[in-house]
Amino acid sequence: MSTPMNNSLPWPTEAPVLPVLSVRPVLDRIDSLARTHEQDVTLIPGLAMTEEEVAADPPPALEQVADELGGIELCGQRVLTLQIEDRTDVGPYTLLGEATSFYPLYETPDAAVILTIDPDGAPGAVYGIGEDLALYLAAPNLGGYLERFADALEATLNALAERDDEGEARTEAAEQLMEGHLFAEILGMDETADPVEVPLQAPATTDIVELPGHAVAVADLREAPRGARVDLIDADVPGDPLDLHVIWRERGRIVVLAG
C-alpha cells in the first residue's frame, strides 16, 4: 500500500496510469547501479517502499513508477527525483504554465529538467530548460529520459571508481561528470553543441488544429530530433514574452506560447 501523499495539486486524471512494466528494465538497471556503487549513490525509495509520510505530489499517471523509485542522490546531490516537495513558478519555470502541466525531474536555481503533462494528465516529452529559458528536447518520454539518465550515471560511476578522492572533491567530480555526460547538453551549457532550432510560428501559419484561442505562437517538435531547441524569449510575438506561458499539446511535442 502506498504512503499517503500531499495531494495538494488538482492533477488531471483522465489519462491512464503509466504501466511500471514499460520502464521496468531501466528501473532495475538504476537499482543495480545504486546497489553496486553504494559509496556514491543513494537510492531514494518509492512511495510504496517507505513507511514515512512523503511530502510529494506526483501526477496520478506516474503512480506506479513513483511507488517504486523516489529518486537518486549522487555523492549527496539529488540528480533525479520523482518526489518534488515544493513547487515554484520562478527561475527556470518562469514561462511554464500551471503546476499541473509539468513535473520537475531535476532542478537547480537556474535550470531544470521537466516531464510535460498533457491536459488529460498523460506524461509526455522531457525537456531541459537552460538559464536562457530555452527548451531542449531531452527525450520523447519518461522511459527515454530514464534510459539516458542511466547511461550518464553508469559512465559517471565508472569514472568515479577510478578515483580515490573523498568529500567535497568527490562531489565536485561527480557533478562535473554528470554534467559532461548529460546535463550540459540538455540544459544548453554545451558550447560545442549545435542544436536544431525549432522556430515558433504564428498559429495561423501552421496546420496544427485545436490550439487554444489565446495562443500567440507554436513550435512543432513532433519530428524534431533529440536536443532540438525552442527559444521562447526571442519569440516574435506582441508584447513581452515574459508575460506569456507555455501550454503543451501532443504529449509535449507541440509547444504553444499563450497569453
Side-chain angles (χ1 to χ4, degrees), residues 1-86:
M1 181 176 179
S2 301
T3 299
M5 294 181 296
N6 174 26
N7 293 309
S8 57
L9 293 176
W11 291 106
T13 58
E14 298 172 28
V17 173
L18 178 68
V20 72
L21 288 177
S22 67
V23 293
R24 169 62 63 203
V26 70
L27 290 182
D28 288 347
R29 181 183 173 199
I30 292 171
D31 180 81
S32 176
L33 287 170
R35 296 182 187 281
T36 305
H37 299 270
E38 291 183 345
Q39 172 192 355
D40 296 311
V41 178
T42 299
L43 190 148
I44 300 163
L47 296 169
M49 307 297 176
T50 178
E51 296 180 356
E52 300 178 3
E53 183 174 352
V54 178
D57 189 11
L62 296 187
E63 177 183 2
Q64 291 187 12
V65 178
D67 270 353
E68 296 216 8
L69 177 66
I72 291 291
E73 287 185 356
L74 175 64
C75 296
Q77 301 295 313
R78 188 74 66 96
V79 289
L80 173 70
T81 185
L82 292 167
Q83 294 176 2
I84 287 290
E85 296 183 16
D86 300 312

Side-chain angles (χ1 to χ4, degrees), residues 74-75 77-80 106-113 128-131 138 145 148-149 151-157 159-160 170-193 226:
L74 175 64
C75 296
Q77 301 295 313
R78 188 74 66 96
V79 289
L80 173 70
Y106 170 78
E107 59 185 7
T108 72
D110 302 311
V113 178
I129 306 172
E131 289 188 40
Y145 180 72
R148 200 171 173 187
F149 171 82
D151 288 344
L153 181 64
E154 183 171 11
T156 294
L157 291 171
L160 286 175
R170 195 168 187 84
T171 298
E172 183 176 341
E175 183 178 348
Q176 292 175 351
L177 286 163
M178 280 297 291
E179 182 176 304
H181 290 299
L182 179 64
F183 294 126
E185 180 181 348
I186 64 177
L187 297 177
M189 299 184 295
D190 185 354
E191 296 181 357
T192 66
R226 193 176 78 176

Side-chain angles (χ1 to χ4, degrees), residues 84-258:
I84 287 290
E85 296 183 16
D86 300 312
R87 301 294 299 273
T88 178
D89 59 0
V90 297
Y93 310 114
T94 298
L95 288 175
L96 298 190
E98 297 292 333
T100 52
S101 69
F102 67 96
Y103 196 66
L105 302 174
Y106 170 78
E107 59 185 7
T108 72
D110 302 311
V113 178
I114 59 134
L115 174 69
T116 63
I117 306 294
D118 263 16
D120 65 353
V126 175
Y127 287 93
I129 306 172
E131 289 188 40
D132 58 358
L133 302 184
L135 297 175
Y136 296 83
L137 182 61
N141 50 48
L142 178 60
Y145 180 72
L146 292 176
E147 289 283 0
R148 200 171 173 187
F149 171 82
D151 288 344
L153 181 64
E154 183 171 11
T156 294
L157 291 171
N158 287 340
L160 286 175
E162 300 178 0
R163 304 173 63 101
D164 57 6
D165 44 12
E166 298 178 353
E168 292 184 7
R170 195 168 187 84
T171 298
E172 183 176 341
E175 183 178 348
Q176 292 175 351
L177 286 163
M178 280 297 291
E179 182 176 304
H181 290 299
L182 179 64
F183 294 126
E185 180 181 348
I186 64 177
L187 297 177
M189 299 184 295
D190 185 354
E191 296 181 357
T192 66
D194 185 22
V196 171
E197 297 281 348
V198 179
L200 282 157
Q201 302 173 272
T205 66
T206 74
D207 59 357
I208 301 172
V209 297
E210 297 184 3
L211 291 175
H214 55 312
V216 298
V218 59
D220 187 350
L221 289 90
R222 286 175 293 184
E223 302 297 329
R226 193 176 78 176
R229 179 177 184 270
V230 180
D231 190 340
L232 301 177
I233 291 295
D234 285 344
D236 184 16
V237 295
D240 187 347
L242 290 175
D243 293 333
L244 305 175
H245 65 275
V246 170
I247 297 173
W248 316 107
R249 291 292 186 271
E250 296 292 330
R251 301 298 184 257
R253 298 303 288 266
I254 290 178
V255 178
V256 181
L257 266 183

